[in-house]
Amino acid sequence: MVLRVAQQTIYGSIIQRNNASLARLMETNLQSSTQKRINAPSDDPNGAATVLQTRCDLSQLAQYK
């Protein structure tokens, strides 16, 4: 059984992979330029919650001093 793959399917697959690679590259570039792993809460919701809780704890400790 011979399957025929249309050129449009091949090109679509290549473009999709290139776009995914570009998105990963842009995210890595943003992280390296800001030197932060979490730049928006959507990057890592659990990590963002941890960061916010730590900031709150530090603020409370500063007030206690």
Side-chain angles (χ1 to χ4, degrees):
M1 179 175 185
V2 176
L3 294 177
R4 184 172 179 186
V5 179
Q7 291 288 24
Q8 186 174 2
T9 304
I10 294 171
Y11 292 143
S13 176
I14 291 171
I15 289 173
Q16 184 179 11
R17 289 180 189 166
N18 283 345
N19 286 340
S21 294
L22 181 60
R24 285 192 306 270
L25 176 65
M26 289 175 62
E27 180 64 28
T28 302
N29 189 25
L30 178 64
Q31 287 177 357
S32 66
S33 67
T34 61
Q35 296 183 351
K36 295 180 181 178
R37 187 177 66 83
I38 302 171
N39 292 301
S42 61
D43 291 343
D44 182 7
N46 291 330
T50 302
V51 168
L52 291 175
Q53 184 61 45
T54 303
R55 285 182 185 171
C56 182
D57 292 344
L58 290 174
S59 175
Q60 288 175 353
L61 286 173
Q63 273 185 338
Y64 181 72
K65 277 180 154 178

